[in-house]
């Protein structure tokens, strides 16, 4: 009985989480004439017209490429800077390491809406308005606290004896970092990479504020599908499915490493 109740509860939670995505798939496959039909049922005449429209008429591929460039660049910079910083805080006995980590984490306390105006003035002064570089810099700044927090906690779980033994053998700190610490920290690195990538891929406010034409990312492009007198529900649903599916596949493929990275860092932290 307990096992049956457990699986029923598990199914209910899965359905609750997956229902919006399933509904978007159903909507994206409906012909235009059935989008507002009541009751809203699965169409007996599915069509791919909405997918063709977003790809060819709205040029969704270009915006996906923009998002991919921004998210990949942000992930790479966050891992590079975050791993170096985390290694120093965890293994090199940097003075005031705990206050430094707390200050870095405090950056994530501020809501983006409170910082978007000064950041816009700063970006415009640098001449980076409507460029992908502006988004990469901004996303990296806001994703670094997460990267440092996860990687620092994970580096602390690696015994200090490994670091000291390598130092006795003549290895410098940087060699220990990329030859020993990085391979041992692969679960945490994969976890951090996926979380940062998802954050940058889905980020909307900065992308809406700092870009205006060809540098728009996918979330901004989808919101601009709506016209003055019409909301293309089918096209919005099709674009949402195209954009969300890669993230779901990515998480499913690396779910074990994500769980391992989060739990390993949490145990010591």
């Amino acid at each position: 009985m307990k096992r049956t109740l457990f699986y029923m509860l598990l199914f209910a939670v899965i359905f609750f989480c997956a229902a919006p995505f399933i509904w978007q798939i159903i909507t994206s496959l409906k012909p235009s004439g059935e989008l507002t039909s009541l009751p809203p049922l699965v169409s007996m005449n599915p069509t791919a017209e909405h997918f063709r429209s977003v790809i060819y008429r709205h040029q969704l591929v270009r915006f996906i490429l923009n998002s991919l460039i921004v998210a990949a660049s942000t992930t790479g910079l966050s891992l590079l800077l975050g791993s170096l910083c985390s290694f120093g805080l965890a293994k090199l006995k940097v003075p005031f390491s705990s206050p430094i980590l707390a200050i870095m984490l405090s950056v994530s306390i501020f809501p983006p809406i409170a910082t978007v105006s000064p950041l816009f003035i700063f970006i415009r002064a640098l001449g980076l308005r409507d460029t992908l570089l502006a988004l990469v810099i901004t996303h990296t700044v806001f994703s670094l606290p997460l990267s440092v927090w996860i990687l620092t906690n994970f580096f602390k779980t690696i015994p200090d004896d490994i670091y000291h033994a390598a130092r006795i053998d003549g290895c410098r700190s940087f060699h220990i970092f990329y030859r020993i610490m990085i391979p041992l920290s692969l679960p945490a690195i994969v976890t951090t990479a996926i979380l940062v990538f998802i954050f940058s891929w889905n980020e909307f406010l900065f992308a809406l504020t700092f870009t205006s034409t060809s540098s728009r990312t996918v979330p901004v492009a989808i919101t601009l599908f709506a016209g003055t007198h019409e909301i293309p529900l089918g096209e919005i649903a099709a674009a949402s499915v195209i954009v969300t599916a890669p993230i779901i596949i990515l998480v499913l493929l690396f779910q074990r490493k994500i769980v391992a990275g989060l739990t390993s860092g949490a145990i010591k932290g």
Side-chain angles (χ1 to χ4, degrees):
M1 188 66 180
K2 290 182 179 180
R3 183 181 295 272
T4 302
L5 291 175
F6 170 76
Y7 282 112
M8 290 177 61
L9 179 60
L10 181 62
F11 177 79
V13 172
I14 293 174
F15 179 77
F16 177 79
C17 295
F21 184 67
I22 296 173
W23 185 250
Q24 290 291 74
I25 295 176
I26 295 174
T27 304
S28 66
L29 296 175
K30 282 185 177 182
S32 299
E34 299 181 14
L35 290 175
T36 56
S37 60
L38 293 175
L41 301 175
V42 178
S43 175
M44 295 294 100
N45 301 302
T47 178
E49 61 174 309
H50 303 305
F51 289 95
R52 289 193 294 266
S53 178
V54 297
I55 292 175
Y56 296 109
R57 188 161 71 90
H58 293 285
Q59 300 179 348
L60 189 66
V61 175
R62 183 182 67 181
F63 300 119
I64 290 177
L65 182 60
N66 288 343
S67 290
L68 184 61
I69 294 173
V70 172
S73 301
T74 300
T75 303
L77 283 175
S78 295
L79 288 179
L80 176 63
L81 299 177
S83 60
L84 289 171
C85 180
S86 301
F87 176 69
L89 293 174
K91 295 302 180 185
L92 298 185
K93 301 188 184 299
V94 177
F96 308 107
S97 58
S98 295
I100 291 174
L101 183 60
I103 292 173
M104 293 192 66
L105 291 176
S106 66
V107 175
S108 60
I109 296 176
F110 295 95
I113 192 65
T115 60
V116 66
S117 294
L119 282 175
F120 175 80
I121 296 174
F122 181 70
I123 292 294
R124 186 176 60 180
L126 293 177
L128 297 177
R129 175 79 168 90
D130 197 22
T131 64
L132 298 181
L133 181 58
L135 295 181
V136 171
I137 294 174
T138 308
H139 291 181
T140 301
V141 170
F142 279 87
S143 63
L144 263 179
L146 174 65
S147 303
V148 173
W149 178 70
I150 294 177
L151 293 175
T152 298
N153 286 333
F154 193 90
F155 282 149
K156 288 180 179 179
T157 65
I158 299 176
D160 292 337
D161 294 341
I162 296 178
Y163 174 78
H164 295 312
R167 290 289 292 173
I168 292 174
D169 289 338
C171 288
R172 297 182 178 180
S173 296
F174 186 73
H175 290 85
I176 297 174
F177 167 71
Y178 77 85
R179 289 184 177 179
I180 299 176
M181 295 298 173
I182 292 299
L184 291 177
S185 305
L186 188 59
I189 291 174
V190 173
T191 300
T192 305
I194 293 176
L195 294 178
V196 171
F197 186 91
I198 293 175
F199 158 75
S200 181
W201 182 269
N202 293 331
E203 199 281 320
F204 175 78
L205 181 61
F206 295 137
L208 176 65
T209 307
F210 299 156
T211 62
S212 59
T213 54
S214 59
S215 298
R216 289 181 181 136
T217 55
V218 165
V220 178
I222 294 176
T223 60
L224 297 178
F225 282 180
T228 305
H229 305 289
E230 180 186 7
I231 299 178
L233 298 177
E235 295 178 358
I236 292 175
S240 300
V241 171
I242 293 174
V243 171
T244 308
I247 300 297
I248 295 176
I249 295 173
L250 189 67
V251 172
L252 291 176
L253 289 176
F254 294 98
Q255 58 179 327
R256 292 184 182 275
K257 290 187 180 295
I258 293 175
V259 174
L262 289 175
T263 54
S264 298
I267 291 173
K268 184 67 178 281

